Amino acid sequence: MEELKSGQVVELTVLEEQGSRIFLTNGEIEIPLNSSELSEPLSRGDRIKVFLLADRRGSLQATTAIPHIQQGEYGWARVIKVSNEGAYVDIGTTKEVLVQAEDLPPIRDLWPEIGDHLFLTLRTDRNGDLFGRLVTEEKVNELYEGALEDMHNKNLNARPYRLLPVGSFLLGIDQPYRIFVHNTEMEGEPRIGQDVTVRIIAVKDDGTLNGSLLPRKHERLSSDAEQILAYLNSVGGKMPFSDKSTPEEITEMFHMSKGAFKRALGSLMKVGRVKQQDGWTELQ
């Protein structure tokens, strides 16, 4: 019989209930499960699918919360906490999983933030503790989907999985396309796991993509628009100025003409960065 280990998804048999715990067995060892996890009662001899975890003493315990990422499989896991140890992610079970600091970029500013997503698999150490291991380039070469030629100039939602001085490697969120963005095609290096919108600038013969994080020429903002955005960000995203404001108000606050202010606002609204309502302008 295969040895039961932390990190496995297995089907076990109900042995007995003791207080708030139900004991499960594979015929050789007993593993506890909190009865509060059950939506309906179980009887002796029933079979149940569970995920095995190691507690602080290294003993196995069971949970019915089956993770969406398991050993040997890869997927996106949301970052829920960041510390000096690394990034903790949610894999869909009762225990958070650590991606260790040594697996993250050497520059701390490029570490993921809460809400970012890392592409990883599940591993266990000698004590049975779970940890996340980021995808390798070799594994990405197995997993990525070849792109079609008609993807040129299209926008894709993607996340960086590997950061190098020469550029960033990204995976598509909706389809696992492999995308390379050279450092000349970005204003600043993205965080690992950050949601970005990448514009496809080349489809290669092997089905991988080259992309750009720079806006198209017609989407690039003027210095006046950038000034308005900077002001909005500094005051909490909302300001009592709009295209209805007087020239004197605009000149006093922004040191630009009302015409320039209106053109800048118009460009920001066109690309969906701001909206106006009741004499106020707000970030979107």
Side-chain angles (χ1 to χ4, degrees):
M1 183 175 292
E2 183 181 359
E3 180 185 1
L4 296 182
K5 298 178 181 179
S6 175
Q8 291 178 328
V9 176
V10 295
E11 190 173 88
L12 299 177
T13 302
V14 175
L15 185 62
E16 62 179 344
E17 183 173 357
Q18 293 182 10
S20 62
R21 297 195 297 176
I22 292 176
F23 285 87
L24 311 175
T25 184
N26 66 342
E28 292 186 354
I29 64 172
E30 298 178 13
I31 299 175
L33 166 71
N34 286 330
S35 56
S36 60
E37 291 194 30
L38 300 176
S39 58
E40 55 186 41
L42 292 176
S43 302
R44 181 182 176 88
D46 287 347
R47 301 280 287 174
I48 183 172
K49 185 178 181 181
V50 292
F51 180 60
L52 301 182
L53 300 162
D55 62 20
R56 294 180 179 178
R57 296 171 297 176
S59 301
L60 288 178
Q61 58 183 6
T63 175
T64 58
I66 308 298
H68 61 266
I69 299 173
Q70 298 174 24
Q71 295 185 74
E73 301 176 358
Y74 286 80
W76 294 110
R78 185 174 63 87
V79 175
I80 56 177
K81 185 172 68 176
V82 180
S83 72
N84 290 334
E85 296 178 297
Y88 290 87
V89 298
D90 177 11
I91 61 168
T93 189
T94 55
K95 192 172 184 179
E96 60 194 21
V97 169
L98 174 66
V99 177
Q100 297 172 340
E102 52 263 37
D103 288 340
L104 297 175
I107 301 174
R108 183 67 182 260
D109 287 346
L110 301 180
W111 281 23
E113 296 180 355
I114 294 173
D116 290 344
H117 291 75
L118 300 177
F119 199 73
L120 52 80
T121 190
L122 187 64
R123 299 282 176 84
T124 56
D125 63 17
R126 293 180 179 178
N127 298 321
D129 291 330
L130 302 176
F131 67 95
R133 177 57 55 85
L134 297 181
V135 70
T136 62
E137 193 62 42
E138 180 181 11
K139 180 57 67 172
V140 169
N141 286 332
E142 296 177 13
L143 296 175
Y144 83 82
E145 292 183 4
L148 302 176
E149 292 183 3
D150 65 357
M151 296 193 67
H152 186 269
N153 206 36
K154 289 187 176 180
N155 287 344
L156 290 179
N157 296 320
R159 296 173 180 134
Y161 69 88
R162 185 184 182 201
L163 307 178
L164 295 176
V166 69
S168 300
F169 290 87
L170 291 71
L171 276 176
I173 297 174
D174 301 317
Q175 302 87 17
Y177 296 130
R178 180 179 177 273
I179 310 158
F180 174 68
V181 179
H182 193 269
N183 57 23
T184 58
E185 291 293 338
M186 59 179 77
E187 293 177 348
E189 195 169 10
R191 300 184 305 274
I192 190 168
Q194 178 182 353
D195 281 26
V196 299
T197 299
V198 57
R199 174 169 54 90
I200 303 307
I201 58 176
V203 181
K204 301 174 72 174
D205 291 340
D206 62 0
T208 62
L209 302 167
N210 286 348
S212 175
L213 296 178
L214 297 174
R216 296 171 176 84
K217 288 184 178 180
H218 70 275
E219 295 174 340
R220 295 177 188 176
L221 300 177
S222 66
S223 59
D224 290 339
E226 294 285 4
Q227 181 183 343
I228 293 171
L229 279 181
Y231 178 78
L232 279 166
N233 282 308
S234 71
V235 296
K238 185 176 181 180
M239 66 180 185
F241 302 101
S242 70
D243 55 13
K244 304 299 183 184
S245 299
T246 67
E248 292 76 19
E249 290 173 325
I250 292 168
T251 300
E252 180 181 358
M253 178 56 66
F254 298 100
H255 305 289
M256 68 178 73
S257 69
K258 181 168 181 177
F261 182 79
K262 289 181 68 174
R263 286 192 296 273
L265 269 188
S267 67
L268 289 171
M269 288 189 289
K270 186 175 182 180
V271 296
R273 302 292 294 276
V274 303
K275 64 179 181 179
Q276 293 188 87
Q277 187 173 359
D278 300 327
W280 288 73
T281 301
E282 302 179 46
L283 291 173
Q284 291 205 100

